[in-house]
Amino acid sequence: MEVSFSKEIEQLRMGAGETFHGEGILAITKALLQSGVAYVGGYQGAPVSHLLDVMVQAKSYMDELGVHVEACANEASAAAMLGASIHYPLRGAVTWKSIVGTNVAADALSNLSSPGVKGGVLVVVGEDYGEGASVIQERTHAYALKSGMLLLDPRPDLSRMVDMVEHAFRLSEASNMPALMELRIRACHVRGSFVAKDNQAPAISTRQLMTQPARFDYNRLAHPPVTFGHEKLKYQERLPAARRYIEAHGLNEFFAGEHADLGIIVQGGLYNTLIRALQQFDLADAFGESKIPLLVLNVTSPLVPEQIANFCLNKRSVLVMEEGQPEYIEQEIATLLRRRDIQTPLHGKDWLPQGGEYTAEAMAQGLQSWSERYLPQTPVAAQAAQWLQDNRERRLAVAEQLKARGQTLPARPPSFCIGCPERPVFSAIKLAQQAIGPLHVSADIGCHALGTFEPFSTGHTILGYGMSLASRAGVSPAMQQRVLSIMGDGGFWHNGLLTGVQSALFNGDDAVLLIFKNGYTSATGTQDIISTPADAAKLVAADKLQSLAHTNQTIERTLLGLGVQWLRTVHTYEVETMRATLLDAFTSDFKGLKVIVAEGECQLERQRRIKPWLAQLLKKGQRVQRVKYGVDEDVCNGDHACIRLSGCPTLTLKDNPDPLKVDPVATVIDGCVGCGLCGANAHAATLCPSFYRAEVVQNAGLWERLVQRLRSRWVRALQPA
Amino acid sequence: MTQPISILLCALGGEGGGVLTDWLVEAARHAGYPVQATSIPGVAQRTGATTYYLEIFPQLQSELGERRVVLGLNPLPGRLDLLVSSELLETARQVANGLSSVQRTRIITAGNRVLTTQEKMQMGDGRLDEASLLQVVQQQGQACHVLDMAGMTREAGTVVSAVMLGSMAACGLLPMQRRDYEAAIGQGSASQQASLRGFALGWEAVQQQRTQAQFLAELLPEPPIADAAPGLPETWQREFPAALHEVLGHARARLLDYQDQAYVDLYRERLRQVLAREQQTAPAECTATQEVARWLALWMAFDDIVRVADLKSRAQRLERVRQEVKAKDDDVLRVYDHFKPGLPEIAALLPTAWAQRLLQWEQRRLARGLPAKSWPLKIGTHSVIGMLLLRLLASLRRVRRWGSRYAQEQSLIEDWLAAVHAGLQQSHALGLEMARCGRLIKGYGSTQERGRDNLLHILQHLGSAAATASPEDRARAIQHAREAALKDEAGTSLDQVLQAHGAPARPLKVQPILWAGRRPRGLTQ
């Protein structure tokens, strides 16, 4: 990747007493080093990508400390890496996006949790839940429960988060349980500060090697019959040990309040929002002093029964604020109270929304019902009701105002970048379907999933990262036409090669696979993969403007090696060639797996390379050519067929300058990188002839300028006004 | 109780929202106020909507001593203090989400739009009405600053985030001083200098309410028509009602430019007849004629390669391109035009009998599954040969009249005008709606073909006298059908409307499909 994290790396070096200012996820990264972590791995994905990105770039510092960093092929390989801590006192941390990453890692996590760990293990999961999430809405909590892992959900305060990382390793070691730490999107991106400590170089490390492997110990294998013993260990020894540690070190926090006969139990990650909600009804002040006693669970699994029971005893009621469904914590508390015959009324999901992010407004709904019953002498319920009603009324008023004027606000989903190499392929797919009829398209995770949005609206299913070819296996045998599977190179290496390609070849499936070879896992932040153009190729490329995806042939060689017989590589911007290749794949007599590699380097990465290069050339006064496309406003027919085939952010509309015409005309605004799609589409789709390609040469040579001058004199003579 | 100042920033991916957040955090820290920020970047390098949320506590940390403020991570609807946005629709979206309130929220928004794909991809004009958005935004805030952020950004040569920072700093809500913000930006590099310029522009814009009012006034009314109507001869002025004069001025100039005086006379004669017919039905009306005046002129100046070559080879066009691509005087500029003429375009210029033979040959080829013949060309309009070629094509204007396309268009125009006449005879409303259907004709190739087929189908099935409904009902049906015809390329909406009004859906078009279907298993192959 071309992004530099040098500033962030500097912050990782901070010593005791210095104040760290920055994002939550970077604070966590620093905390790992303060905890003496020996190895770090993971798979990129919002909102935790930065943890790994920064560590990978900080290689020389990591080598100094002796910390091994690995960019794993997928979450399963990251989780398997944690096996190092089964036998050896190594602290290990991995990271990924949850719930999807945890799903992929589940097998290794189960097999890790069963024998248990000697060195502390921490999995930092980006909880992709609520506003801004890009995956299915499920809870990671279930994994902690079923596999017997610790689950930490710290208050989104940088100092507390850092403390909790350090505790997590110790807690993991005290209980032999792997720990998960869930960080919500907003917590990962929270900008705050904390006072740093010195980093700890691990005792065993890439600098301090072990001389001997551990002795053979069947008990540490996840293999019968010892797995039966592991299961007992989980509840007989590990959970009690974890509970003792949590209680002894005060990981969960108790805050007293004037209404001592009431209480709220809240997940740590929701604490700030709860305080802001309570403030609205004068139940808390700016410093978090709450009038209602709070039990803040920085560790949400396991719960400490004594702690919960003591908190609930002698209270008129306890309210549980637990985000997501089902309400595991509330159910466990209910069971616990019932078993101990504690009669404190318990509320939670009966009054709070079942699903969705717990914003202050969601919390206010619960607080309203709860205070109506338990704080009837205060104005809290009335205030909450008023606030909620005002919100409803305001929204309704705006909706009606817009409706009266015939307006609905269109969504603005993300779209392919300007000049993205994947956009032209969707143009070609749209055009190809004009010739062969509609296709079933099996889509995938990655930037190309943006092809499911307008103007392409292409794709029937998304079954997971790298799953598009596999998810077609049941469709194509029952379909007359062949099925198109779309996969990115990220997905191909993450999973698709084995679950899709290998399976299709083994079963002799008649399938069509289109692989976007843009050279990076772009959707997660353009991380490098095995098929990324090598630095050497970037260095020797004379023309820095060109795509370098072709310089790495790992995907093609792998496919050929596996036995793929029908393989075509097409440059993505050649829309007509891509259309013809798709038609070929769909009409060919060849009955096996047909693979089209759509080659074109990620434009984001290219631009990050190109911009400084051009700036440098201009500074030196050297020749620079830039390309921009444009639309002739008097030729454009105002039908916008070009936009329906592109959706490029720089291809937009403006008022028709022609006083007789009414429909707005297309226009290309600043920012166009001259990728060529407009021209390729105009040809492939026979659009109206309004597009032009302009090449502007700055600092042209003497000869070039002379030719231009002569030429324009002639051209001018030919032109009418 | 002192509460934190809550700020929601809306930006589109790539507009520097993250940098803006960092600046604000840095400025607050510089001044010594407790601050916290967070964001929902999503896939932020792209152009989706993103938000950033900040809370700043307006009491100095030094006064608070050891006490730590708890700051929130989500905006509270109605309790927001400041909503800042670089795009008008995104501002309206947050307002529609109920975030701002009259009691509390100050809004600083760009008056500029960045159109969404959904708006852009419509066949007609799918853009939102800016006045409605502005109205919503202005009514739901305690105070509202509408700024030309895009203009200031261009002027300063920076990213919109700098302008946003300046406008926030100047609005008087935040406790930091100007020097705190400027310190956060820094001043070493060229980009920092540009940011400071943008900051200053944003600052001044909020301080000068007057300029805002002017910008608003420019924004609200319909954009003025680009050219004033060219002069209209007195004979025309006497002949046609004043309401038509402006359109007629443009129409006359267009057709003269397109063909010749005789063609202009033909237009005038056609329009005269429509006006006469309209005044028989409704003496005080001229709306139908007005509609015909516009659409007839555009239809008669139908687009063909001659016209395109002419437009693309004018000197003023090259000048316009130069400006659009921001080429400086000493830059070398090369312009290539994308053309893809097919047999129909060539046939258009041939006499009808020859054209038919050529197109029949093409039909036979298509039926055999061969692709349509066409020639993708990239012509260098900056070059002598390219320009010669275009001028040669443009000069074919003189023979246009003998071409098959000319004959065909004239006959279709006559069909349409006859329908308008017939409609006017029955009721004014019906004639008017038929006249408005002229809008369906536009463009080239398949776009033009689709519009023509839709028009003919509507006129035939909803307009004809055989239909049982009253003329007023039919007028309404035609209006619905016309609107539906502009909704989707496939014509699904149009078919639905046609059927709802008792007319048949459009006939299926014969189209060769490459078929590679597989047989069910078990059958012998």
Side-chain angles (χ1 to χ4, degrees):
Chain A
M1 61 162 54
E2 307 274 346
V3 179
S4 162
F5 291 104
S6 50
K7 242 197 212 157
E8 287 79 0
I9 294 169
E10 271 317 298
Q11 291 212 310
L12 290 188
R13 288 176 175 268
M14 278 184 174
E18 289 183 78
T19 305
F20 173 105
H21 295 291
E23 258 194 335
I25 193 64
L26 289 171
I28 297 284
T29 313
K30 169 78 171 114
L32 295 179
L33 299 178
Q34 291 183 178
S35 308
V37 73
Y39 64 94
V40 178
Y43 194 81
Q44 57 270 12
V48 290
S49 289
H50 276 188
L51 192 159
L52 210 58
D53 292 346
V54 171
M55 285 225 162
V56 168
Q57 276 197 12
K59 185 164 189 326
S60 64
Y61 181 50
M62 293 301 119
D63 286 345
E64 229 174 86
L65 286 172
V67 178
H68 174 69
V69 179
E70 185 140 329
C72 304
N74 58 31
E75 295 84 354
S77 89
M81 194 179 171
L82 296 173
S85 300
I86 294 177
H87 282 281
Y88 306 105
L90 291 166
R91 286 189 171 175
V94 295
T95 187
W96 56 66
K97 172 196 196 96
S98 201
I99 189 73
V100 283
T102 317
N103 287 340
V104 174
D107 193 17
L109 287 179
S110 292
N111 286 291
L112 175 75
S113 303
S114 190
V117 294
K118 192 178 225 171
V121 154
L122 178 63
V123 184
V124 179
V125 298
E127 197 66 72
D128 202 24
Y129 187 84
E131 191 188 347
S134 57
V135 300
I136 41 269
Q137 300 292 280
E138 290 182 6
R139 298 184 68 181
T140 311
H141 203 103
Y143 281 94
L145 293 178
K146 79 166 179 67
S147 297
M149 291 185 284
L150 304 158
L151 182 61
L152 292 88
D153 185 356
R155 270 198 288 126
D157 170 273
L158 257 47
S159 318
R160 193 66 192 147
M161 284 156 73
V162 168
D163 278 352
M164 287 306 288
V165 168
E166 293 170 0
H167 277 299
F169 284 108
R170 290 200 285 272
L171 174 57
S172 172
E173 282 155 7
S175 65
N176 303 123
M177 294 163 79
L180 297 167
M181 178 178 284
E182 59 172 347
L183 296 172
R184 292 168 179 77
I185 305 174
R186 287 177 191 268
C188 284
H189 296 303
V190 72
R191 286 163 171 86
S193 46
F194 71 94
V195 178
K197 293 183 197 155
D198 287 331
N199 292 336
Q200 305 290 323
I204 304 172
S205 71
T206 57
R207 294 173 72 94
Q208 307 287 329
L209 302 178
M210 294 183 279
T211 49
Q212 290 277 331
R215 65 173 180 82
F216 177 74
D217 181 0
Y218 196 86
N219 268 317
R220 296 205 174 263
L221 286 163
H223 210 226
V226 294
T227 41
F228 303 105
H230 292 161
E231 193 189 13
K232 273 190 201 148
L233 277 177
K234 282 181 181 175
Y235 55 84
Q236 284 179 346
E237 289 180 17
R238 297 179 193 166
L239 283 171
R243 288 175 175 137
R244 280 194 301 274
Y245 184 99
I246 294 166
E247 193 155 37
H249 294 86
L251 298 192
N252 296 328
E253 295 163 288
F254 171 74
F255 298 97
E258 94 190 27
H259 298 289
D261 54 350
L262 293 173
I264 297 177
I265 300 178
V266 63
Q267 288 167 301
L270 299 180
Y271 169 80
N272 289 36
T273 309
L274 174 62
I275 292 295
R276 289 290 277 132
L278 292 173
Q279 282 173 7
Q280 304 311 307
F281 315 118
D282 228 7
L283 288 173
D285 71 7
F287 308 98
E289 288 291 331
S290 168
K291 289 185 183 169
I292 296 174
L294 303 178
L295 178 61
V296 180
L297 301 176
N298 291 309
V299 184
T300 48
S301 187
L303 298 178
V304 184
E306 288 68 33
Q307 200 173 48
I308 303 276
N310 287 340
F311 183 75
C312 294
L313 266 179
N314 305 321
K315 289 209 191 297
R316 285 191 294 127
S317 174
V318 165
L319 180 67
V320 181
M321 296 272 188
E322 181 187 7
E323 194 173 63
Q325 61 170 355
E327 63 275 43
Y328 297 110
I329 299 174
E330 190 182 333
Q331 286 169 8
E332 195 177 330
I333 295 174
T335 308
L336 175 115
L337 295 184
R338 191 73 197 87
R339 284 191 182 142
R340 293 180 185 222
D341 198 24
I342 298 172
Q343 295 304 322
T344 308
L346 181 72
H347 297 283
K349 293 278 185 197
D350 49 347
W351 285 336
L352 281 144
Q354 186 68 33
E357 206 172 358
Y358 271 17
T359 58
E361 200 177 13
M363 289 179 175
Q365 286 176 36
L367 284 173
Q368 186 202 339
S369 315
W370 194 59
S371 50
E372 237 163 47
R373 186 175 302 177
Y374 299 106
L375 285 169
Q377 70 284 14
T378 66
V380 174
Q383 283 172 353
Q386 186 65 46
W387 182 42
L388 293 170
Q389 194 191 333
D390 286 350
N391 292 346
R392 270 194 301 273
E393 279 173 6
R394 269 199 321 279
R395 287 173 188 137
L396 197 69
V398 175
E400 279 180 354
Q401 200 176 353
L402 286 169
K403 200 173 150 199
R405 302 188 67 153
Q407 308 287 312
T408 41
L409 303 185
R412 193 190 301 273
S415 72
F416 295 111
C417 297
I418 298 163
C420 174
E422 304 193 348
R423 180 180 288 114
V425 179
F426 284 94
S427 311
I429 292 172
K430 209 168 176 179
L431 291 172
Q433 292 184 81
Q434 288 175 3
I436 47 176
L439 296 170
H440 178 98
V441 178
S442 172
D444 211 301
I445 300 288
C447 290
H448 44 85
L450 302 176
T452 58
F453 294 126
E454 282 157 335
F456 299 114
S457 306
T458 298
H460 288 84
T461 50
I462 295 180
L463 263 288
Y465 198 20
M467 297 292 195
S468 62
L469 188 56
S471 65
R472 153 233 59 94
V475 181
S476 48
M479 179 85 69
Q480 271 198 337
Q481 284 265 44
R482 285 172 184 153
V483 167
L484 176 64
S485 301
I486 294 175
M487 199 184 285
D489 41 8
F492 176 80
W493 294 118
H494 179 273
N495 206 336
L497 170 63
L498 298 182
T499 54
V501 177
Q502 190 239 132
S503 182
L505 286 172
F506 179 65
N507 290 291
D509 286 355
D510 186 352
V512 181
L513 171 64
L514 190 143
I515 300 175
F516 279 105
K517 183 183 161 191
N518 67 24
Y520 310 83
T521 58
S522 300
T524 54
T526 61
Q527 286 81 6
D528 289 1
I529 38 175
I530 193 169
S531 50
T532 297
D535 287 342
K538 293 178 185 174
L539 210 64
V540 298
D543 177 11
K544 303 265 186 267
L545 297 172
Q546 69 176 139
S547 157
L548 296 175
H550 64 281
T551 58
N552 188 320
Q553 292 284 315
T554 316
I555 292 179
E556 291 82 347
R557 283 205 309 271
T558 303
L559 291 171
L560 291 173
L562 271 183
V564 170
Q565 290 168 31
W566 196 105
L567 177 66
R568 307 273 186 279
T569 298
V570 184
H571 192 55
T572 64
Y573 296 99
E574 290 165 10
V575 176
E576 181 51 44
T577 316
M578 181 58 81
R579 193 187 79 99
T581 311
L582 281 166
L583 292 185
D584 191 13
F586 278 89
T587 55
S588 156
D589 291 334
F590 181 76
K591 296 272 189 267
L593 175 64
K594 291 158 281 289
V595 183
I596 302 172
V597 175
E599 193 174 71
E601 191 181 353
C602 170
Q603 188 69 245
L604 259 186
E605 285 292 286
R606 276 170 70 186
Q607 290 300 321
R608 284 171 187 153
R609 200 161 64 223
I610 290 169
K611 276 183 187 155
W613 180 64
L614 290 185
Q616 196 191 359
L617 288 182
L618 281 178
K619 212 172 167 186
K620 283 195 238 157
Q622 289 175 342
R623 182 183 186 278
V624 167
Q625 177 180 312
R626 64 183 164 89
V627 176
K628 185 181 185 279
Y629 276 74
V631 175
D632 278 309
E633 57 194 26
D634 45 8
V635 182
C636 170
N637 65 33
D639 176 63
H640 318 136
C642 52
I643 289 170
R644 291 193 288 279
L645 269 181
S646 160
C648 175
T650 59
L651 179 60
T652 180
L653 303 179
K654 66 175 181 189
D655 288 328
N656 203 320
D658 184 334
L660 287 174
K661 295 181 183 171
V662 289
D663 292 327
V665 291
T667 184
V668 179
I669 54 172
D670 289 350
C672 167
V673 294
C675 75
L677 174 62
C678 289
N681 267 348
H683 280 169
T686 322
L687 296 177
C688 80
S690 56
F691 281 99
Y692 66 80
R693 171 191 170 91
E695 296 173 359
V696 183
V697 183
Q698 285 167 276
N699 301 330
L702 201 61
W703 176 247
E704 199 174 6
R705 272 186 306 192
L706 194 70
V707 171
Q708 158 92 353
R709 199 166 302 159
L710 282 173
R711 208 184 229 170
S712 31
R713 200 166 295 166
W714 277 92
V715 166
R716 225 172 292 139
L718 288 167
Q719 281 173 326
Chain B
M1 181 191 76
T2 313
Q3 286 219 5
I5 300 169
S6 62
I7 308 162
L8 184 68
L9 309 174
C10 313
L12 309 183
E15 284 188 333
V19 176
L20 174 58
T21 310
D22 283 342
W23 280 335
L24 283 162
V25 170
E26 199 45 50
R29 252 186 224 139
H30 190 263
Y33 296 101
V35 59
Q36 181 178 281
T38 188
S39 59
I40 297 286
V43 245
Q45 66 263 50
R46 298 168 193 90
T47 45
T50 58
T51 62
Y52 301 80
Y53 181 66
L54 287 99
E55 291 194 354
I56 297 172
F57 197 71
Q59 250 181 303
L60 292 169
Q61 186 64 53
S62 55
E63 291 168 12
L64 298 174
E66 287 302 299
R67 287 189 301 171
R68 293 281 300 266
V69 185
V70 178
L71 298 170
L73 296 145
N74 306 66
L76 278 72
R79 304 278 161 98
L80 194 66
D81 294 300
L82 186 55
L83 171 62
V84 186
S85 161
S86 63
E87 205 270 351
L88 186 56
L89 167 62
E90 294 314 315
T91 321
R93 194 191 307 286
Q94 297 304 342
V95 169
N97 287 344
L99 282 171
S100 66
S101 68
V102 180
Q103 294 77 23
R104 181 137 174 193
T105 313
R106 225 174 283 191
I107 300 175
I108 302 177
T109 177
N112 318 96
R113 284 296 327 275
V114 174
L115 301 177
T116 61
T117 307
Q118 219 182 89
E119 292 168 273
K120 293 193 291 186
M121 65 187 277
Q122 303 305 323
M123 289 160 68
D125 190 353
R127 295 174 300 175
L128 283 173
D129 172 32
E130 283 181 23
S132 304
L133 296 180
L134 269 176
Q135 191 196 26
V136 161
V137 169
Q138 286 179 316
Q139 284 183 3
Q140 295 295 332
Q142 185 201 50
C144 184
H145 303 276
V146 182
L147 309 176
D148 178 15
M149 289 192 189
M152 289 187 268
T153 305
R154 261 196 311 276
E155 195 185 328
T158 180
V159 184
V160 72
S161 49
V163 175
M164 292 166 88
L165 185 71
S167 63
M168 294 170 74
C171 82
L173 192 73
L174 305 180
M176 294 89 86
Q177 302 298 310
R178 185 163 179 164
R179 60 172 184 274
D180 299 318
Y181 300 100
E182 289 176 340
I185 294 176
Q187 53 181 341
S189 68
S191 73
Q192 283 168 329
Q193 290 298 335
S195 298
L196 287 174
R197 279 197 302 276
F199 176 88
L201 287 175
W203 173 281
E204 280 153 28
V206 165
Q207 296 227 321
Q208 293 166 5
Q209 298 284 333
R210 203 162 41 84
T211 39
Q212 286 174 40
Q214 264 172 18
F215 172 61
L216 266 183
E218 281 167 29
L219 205 68
L220 279 173
E222 283 295 298
I225 289 171
D227 315 306
L232 199 63
E234 215 169 303
T235 45
W236 288 59
Q237 291 191 19
R238 261 181 281 128
E239 219 165 4
F240 297 101
L244 272 69
H245 289 179
E246 189 178 319
V247 174
L248 287 180
H250 291 296
R252 187 175 159 273
R254 174 71 41 89
L255 292 173
L256 204 57
D257 184 51
Y258 181 83
Q259 196 64 36
D260 49 27
Q261 184 58 45
Y263 205 45
V264 175
D265 294 341
L266 176 62
Y267 171 81
R268 182 176 167 195
E269 185 49 39
R270 280 172 170 163
L271 204 61
R272 217 166 13 204
Q273 287 175 15
V274 175
L275 183 65
R277 164 51 54 209
E278 183 174 25
Q279 286 182 337
Q280 274 177 26
T281 312
E285 289 279 358
C286 67
T287 42
T289 315
Q290 205 171 356
E291 292 290 334
V292 172
R294 178 184 297 270
W295 307 122
L296 178 63
L298 288 172
W299 196 343
M300 285 178 72
F302 57 87
D303 292 306
D304 57 6
I305 43 177
V306 179
R307 177 73 174 160
V308 172
D310 187 28
L311 290 173
K312 289 223 177 209
S313 58
R314 297 179 179 195
Q316 61 187 38
R317 185 260 176 165
L318 202 60
E319 200 37 53
R320 194 179 61 224
V321 170
R322 204 163 246 292
Q323 282 171 10
E324 272 181 19
V325 304
K326 300 199 168 76
K328 296 199 194 79
D329 286 342
D330 48 350
D331 289 347
V332 171
L333 173 67
R334 288 192 283 267
V335 182
Y336 297 92
D337 280 295
H338 290 273
F339 297 104
K340 195 186 184 190
L343 287 181
E345 279 77 28
I346 294 168
L349 293 171
L350 298 176
T352 305
W354 296 10
Q356 274 172 356
R357 213 170 298 165
L358 193 64
L359 292 176
Q360 276 161 8
W361 177 72
E362 167 99 328
Q363 281 306 321
R364 282 197 299 276
R365 276 173 43 84
L366 289 178
R368 293 213 311 274
L370 295 169
K373 266 249 173 284
S374 62
W375 294 269
L377 304 174
K378 213 171 115 181
I379 295 178
T381 321
H382 61 282
S383 71
V384 179
I385 294 181
M387 184 53 70
L388 258 176
L389 190 69
L390 288 188
R391 286 318 302 161
L392 196 73
L393 279 172
S395 71
L396 292 179
R397 182 166 87 154
R398 295 190 189 87
V399 300
R400 190 189 260 144
R401 271 180 205 282
W402 294 294
S404 62
R405 172 90 188 274
Y406 180 88
Q408 191 193 11
E409 296 296 345
Q410 301 308 324
S411 129
L412 286 168
I413 288 171
E414 291 300 339
D415 290 350
W416 170 55
L417 290 176
V420 175
H421 278 274
L424 280 173
Q425 223 159 9
Q426 295 170 56
S427 100
H428 185 260
L430 184 59
L432 178 62
E433 285 306 327
M434 286 181 159
R436 283 179 177 154
C437 284
R439 179 177 185 174
L440 296 177
I441 301 290
K442 66 176 175 183
Y444 319 76
S446 57
T447 307
Q448 197 258 354
E449 224 169 275
R450 183 178 62 230
R452 192 186 59 207
D453 293 349
N454 287 347
L455 173 71
L456 290 178
H457 193 86
I458 291 173
L459 293 183
Q460 191 187 342
H461 293 283
L462 293 176
S464 70
T468 46
S470 72
E472 278 66 33
D473 285 343
R474 276 186 286 146
R476 251 191 310 280
I478 289 175
Q479 184 199 339
H480 291 158
R482 189 183 61 245
E483 284 161 5
L486 288 170
K487 274 200 180 127
D488 63 305
E489 269 176 307
T492 323
S493 319
L494 176 57
D495 284 344
Q496 280 167 0
V497 171
L498 285 167
Q499 284 168 329
H501 288 286
R506 297 161 313 129
L508 279 180
K509 284 191 105 174
V510 182
Q511 189 208 341
I513 288 267
L514 288 171
W515 185 247
R518 296 174 309 121
R519 291 149 197 259
R521 248 181 237 171
L523 296 183
T524 45
Q525 299 217 341

